[in-house]
Amino acid sequence: MADAPKTPPAKPQAGGRAASKKELPDHFKPYKHVWVFVEQERGQVHPVSWELLGEGRKLADKLDVDLAAVVLGPEGAETQHVVAEAFNYGADLAYLVADPLLRDYRNEPYTKAMTDLVNTYQPEILLLGATTLGRDLAGSVATTLKTGLTADSTELDVDDDKSLAATRPTFGGSLLCTIYTLNYRPQMATVRPRVMPMPERVERPVGKVITHPLGLVEGDIVTKVLDFLPARDSATSNLAYADVVVAGGMGLGSPENFQLVKQLATTLGAEYGCSRPLVQKGWVPSDRQIGQTGKTIRPKLYIAAGISGAIQHRVEVEGSDLIVAINTDKNAPIFDFAHVGLVADAIKLLPALTEAFRRRLS
Ligand code: FAD
């Protein structure tokens, strides 16, 4: 139920932003403070939660309100550690629902915990990671609360009138639109991992923790957890957080040539990725796709071989510290944003680089 995209410059007009703003019902006015959902699985916090606390800090400072972490999990030391870490990443206070029923993620109890917290303590902004879990939870929380949700935001800011301005790509990534939730509270947004920078972790004492009961028994929950199987290929999930990424695109011409990307990645101790057409052709698994419909990366070094640099790829790699592009076409769009451009045949250059690094690193 997010309001329509804003068309800059903002002009007061009937049905537009200025008109809608006046309509904020009185019962939404007490909604204050910025909340970040801290996503954890068996005590392992998804790093996107810390990235969001960093971003939430900026919003809270602009609004002159508190930044709160929301921690849902089982009772015990693991959950307490997550709460403590939230303060180290900048939270002013934490809301905690600790209950054995929250040990493994299930939509019903998590939605109940979150919506009860929101209805009781009334935040004006609620941020979640656009992870598998975060997307599932955000959708059901927004629907239950009948409020607006901007999914996969790439930029968050506070407008002159203190509304949350959540920007995200639209029309296949060719345009950015800024979405406001003017008439509903809280204003919700999800953000993908690695879109926001990781804030500095500073050791701080644990601050105020507000505990809230879950108010459910197992019999109230339809979904049952039968077993917990950790992901087998844990390396794949590291693509978004890798320091070095080597990726290949259609310029490689065949799945056999894509092995050249993997070989360089292995030599460098890097993760490998690809552009979307390689996934569509079935050459590379989908969890290796980089881009708007794949993963966002922010490595120290990104080597892109045979990738043209289409906007849907560009927007999710631009946070990399150093982008090295290898392309036979000197006019390829990737050279517009690469820091180092190599006009070369990747099929010849990749093995040469692998060999050179192998000699140097051995
Ligand atoms: P191409 O565009 O075919 O480019 C191949 C490049 O290789 C060219 O620049 C060519 O000059 C170069 N080349 C050719 N031979 C060689 C050689 N021997 N050595 C070196 N260079 C060579 N794309 C993504 O990547 N990720 C996404 O998440 C994504 N999401 C999308 C979502 C939507 C809604 C849409 C509409 C598109 C999306 N795309 C995405 C697709 C995107 O628009 C491009 O089509 C895609 O990124 C192109 O992939 P590519 O650069 O590998 O291939």
Side-chain angles (χ1 to χ4, degrees), residues 249-250 275-276 289-293 306 308 312-313 327-328 345-346:
M250 283 307 287
S275 61
R276 183 161 91 155
Q289 183 185 320
I290 298 167
Q292 192 198 323
T293 42
S308 58
Q312 296 89 356
H313 190 87
N327 200 301
T328 43
D345 182 347

Side-chain angles (χ1 to χ4, degrees), residues 33-36 48-68 89-92 125-127 156-158 164 191 196-197 199:
H33 308 303
V34 178
W35 287 13
V36 170
V48 72
S49 311
W50 307 144
E51 294 161 13
L52 287 181
L53 276 176
E55 200 58 21
R57 178 80 271 157
K58 292 181 205 158
L59 301 177
D61 288 348
K62 279 191 183 172
L63 290 164
D64 198 19
V65 297
D66 284 338
L67 171 66
Y89 281 99
D92 297 314
I125 293 174
L126 172 57
L127 307 178
L156 299 172
D157 204 353
V158 171
L164 176 69
V191 180
M196 305 299 180

Side-chain angles (χ1 to χ4, degrees), residues 35 49 59 102 107 131 186 191 212 217 235 244 261 263 291 301:
W35 287 13
S49 311
L59 301 177
L102 298 171
N107 181 274
T131 57
V191 180
H212 197 82
V217 293
V244 182
V261 166
Q263 285 157 10
L301 171 63

Side-chain angles (χ1 to χ4, degrees), residues 32 48 56 118 135 160 216 246 255 284 294 303 316 338 359:
K32 280 217 162 37
V48 72
V118 168
R135 284 180 170 144
D160 296 342
L216 280 182
V246 184
V284 185
I303 302 175
E316 309 304 336
R359 264 190 269 123

Side-chain angles (χ1 to χ4, degrees), residues 3 12-26 28-29 159-163 180-185 187:
D3 297 278
Q13 52 185 307
R17 286 199 60 228
S20 303
K21 189 185 152 208
K22 287 182 201 135
E23 292 158 15
L24 185 69
D26 282 347
F28 285 137
K29 290 187 181 147
D159 216 4
D160 296 342
D161 62 7
K162 300 198 165 186
S163 312
Y180 294 82
T181 300
L182 296 175
N183 299 324
Y184 305 92
R185 288 294 178 272
Q187 303 159 93

